[in-house]
Amino acid sequence: MKGNWTRASWVTIAALLLISSSNINWGKDHWRTVLQADAKGYYAYLPALFIYDDPNLGFFDRIERETYYDANTFYDYRFGFEGHIVDKYFMGTAIAQLPFFLGTHALVSATGGMADGYSKPYVVAVNLAAISWVLVGLFCMAKLLRTYGIDDRWIAFLMLAYTFGTNLFYYTVVAPGMSHAYSFGLCSAFLLLGRALPGRASTSRVILLGALLGLIVLTRPVNGLLLFALPLLWDRMPTRSEAWTLIREHAIAILASMVLAIAITSLQLLYYHSATGSIGVYAYGEEGFNWSDPHMLDILFSYRKGLFLYMPILLLSLPGLYYLRQRSPVAAWWWIGFFLLLTYVLSAWWNWWYGGSFGARVYVEYLGLFMLLAAFALQHLRAQWRKGLMSLMVLAVVLCQVQTYQMRYYQIHWEDMDRARYWEVFLRLDKLP
């Protein structure tokens, strides 16, 4: 990583994430609560494939109801389809966790530990996997911002501010089994590679983009929308002639990229076929999108889960649109258009608040787009305005950390916040048990 400031920032973040995780998750029996709710379903593919050889999750009762039973964290992530049982969730997160799982399983097996996929070493490995993918994402974002000529000091500051001033910290340390830390790493890498198109396209970049897109979709299918964000990264839109030239010069690479993306996403279909004999499985049952009734204002501003209410640092980043527009009007308008499209789709999900979560968790993977705006603001604001903005961002970090702490102790409720409850506990650490 180039730049002394960004290198120091990255190392500091790594150390703080490890220390926080060790303090919160690894002592006593705290590790038993790390894999909760959806995280259990994301992870279950690994023991199912590599330990139990059981795509139908027959080990569920022994693991969930007996060996590691906890009434507070019990969750059935299975879905019944035509007499067969499948995992409700997509497998991309498990693939991102795979190297850490395999290393842990080899170590536990060699040392005679409880190699059932759910003992403490495996849970710690999940936490380490989340931290690693976040660090990958921050590394990629630092490289991306550097291509815009952003000063090393502002990049370093934003790496710290966005790690600890958003719910990225929560989903890395408190809930590392959820998909968002991994998606943040994958999406940030995708943005970095996408920045090279169309001016600096190469065969390897085009093919790697396809692989990343496939894994992004396999982790959270809705995140395939990120493909439509690519033009906002370009300094200018290619002309029709330039676009056709690019396609002709990289036709084989583009084809290979498409095939690779489809092949990776098809792993989910292969799983369904192995478990049920059919690929036509929709494991979310009656859950789906209500396109005629999106909750766009709720997902952005509500006391329940509002993105800008719980992560005000993102709102503070929006002035960067002005400076992005000065560089490229098309990019600025594309940013706005993509954000509106993204918000429409995310808020149209039947459960627009996405269950038990801290803030609007489905935006975690897109934090890089806000970092881009914040970087433009810090780079181009006059010194006194820059200091003011950075001071407000520091306050936003403090607020986020306080609310993260409150969330851990249920002072901020995981689902049922409203105006009265929000202001009743606002910054009230003295009310914690």
Side-chain angles (χ1 to χ4, degrees), residues 11 18 120 132 229 244 258 291-293 319 369 379 400 421:
V11 171
L18 286 169
K120 182 176 180 178
S132 299
W244 278 113
M258 294 172 61
W291 301 114
S292 64
D293 187 28
L369 297 179
Q379 182 74 11
C400 185
R421 190 164 186 171

Side-chain angles (χ1 to χ4, degrees), residues 57-72:
L57 312 170
F59 56 89
F60 176 88
D61 286 328
R62 180 168 67 82
I63 294 296
E64 193 69 18
R65 298 183 188 277
E66 299 173 15
T67 308
Y68 299 99
Y69 177 74
D70 184 333
N72 295 317

Side-chain angles (χ1 to χ4, degrees), residues 140-280:
C140 291
M141 284 308 305
K143 292 194 67 174
L144 173 64
L145 296 179
R146 197 171 289 116
T147 66
Y148 287 94
I150 305 298
D151 189 284
D152 186 57
R153 294 169 296 172
W154 315 141
I155 297 175
F157 172 80
L158 289 174
M159 290 168 65
L160 285 162
Y162 266 71
T163 301
F164 300 104
T166 69
N167 50 359
L168 178 61
F169 175 79
Y170 183 89
Y171 286 103
T172 307
V173 173
V174 182
M178 296 294 283
S179 65
H180 305 294
Y182 311 92
S183 290
F184 171 75
L186 291 167
C187 291
S188 297
F190 188 83
L191 293 176
L192 174 62
L193 286 173
R195 167 76 171 146
L197 300 177
R200 299 181 301 280
S202 67
T203 298
S204 59
R205 284 180 178 145
V206 172
I207 293 176
L208 188 52
L209 269 174
L212 282 171
L213 181 62
L215 193 50
I216 286 169
V217 171
L218 193 59
T219 302
R220 286 184 66 84
V222 72
N223 288 344
L225 287 171
L226 195 64
L227 183 65
F228 298 105
L230 290 182
L232 70 85
L233 300 168
W234 303 337
D235 293 326
R236 65 177 182 85
M237 292 293 289
T239 64
R240 183 179 300 179
S241 175
E242 290 171 335
W244 278 113
T245 299
L246 177 67
I247 293 172
R248 286 196 302 269
E249 290 179 350
H250 299 281
I252 295 177
I254 292 172
L255 179 61
S257 179
M258 294 172 61
V259 169
L260 189 55
I262 293 171
I264 291 175
T265 55
S266 295
L267 292 175
Q268 191 68 43
L269 302 181
L270 292 176
Y271 163 71
Y272 290 146
H273 188 270
S274 69
T276 70
S278 171
I279 63 172

Side-chain angles (χ1 to χ4, degrees), residues 16-68:
L16 291 175
L17 292 179
L18 286 169
I19 292 170
S20 300
S21 296
S22 175
N23 180 59
I24 294 172
N25 297 330
W26 302 351
K28 299 180 180 179
D29 284 336
H30 299 317
W31 63 272
R32 293 178 178 271
T33 63
V34 171
L35 288 179
Q36 292 193 39
D38 301 12
K40 293 186 176 185
Y42 293 132
Y43 173 77
Y45 287 98
L46 297 174
L49 176 61
F50 293 99
I51 297 178
Y52 302 105
D53 190 23
D54 180 9
N56 298 113
L57 312 170
F59 56 89
F60 176 88
D61 286 328
R62 180 168 67 82
I63 294 296
E64 193 69 18
R65 298 183 188 277
E66 299 173 15
T67 308
Y68 299 99

Side-chain angles (χ1 to χ4, degrees), residues 26 45 134 242 290 299 324-325 335 430:
W26 302 351
Y45 287 98
V134 166
E242 290 171 335
N290 187 350
I299 202 172
L324 177 61
R325 184 178 180 277
W335 195 102
D430 61 298

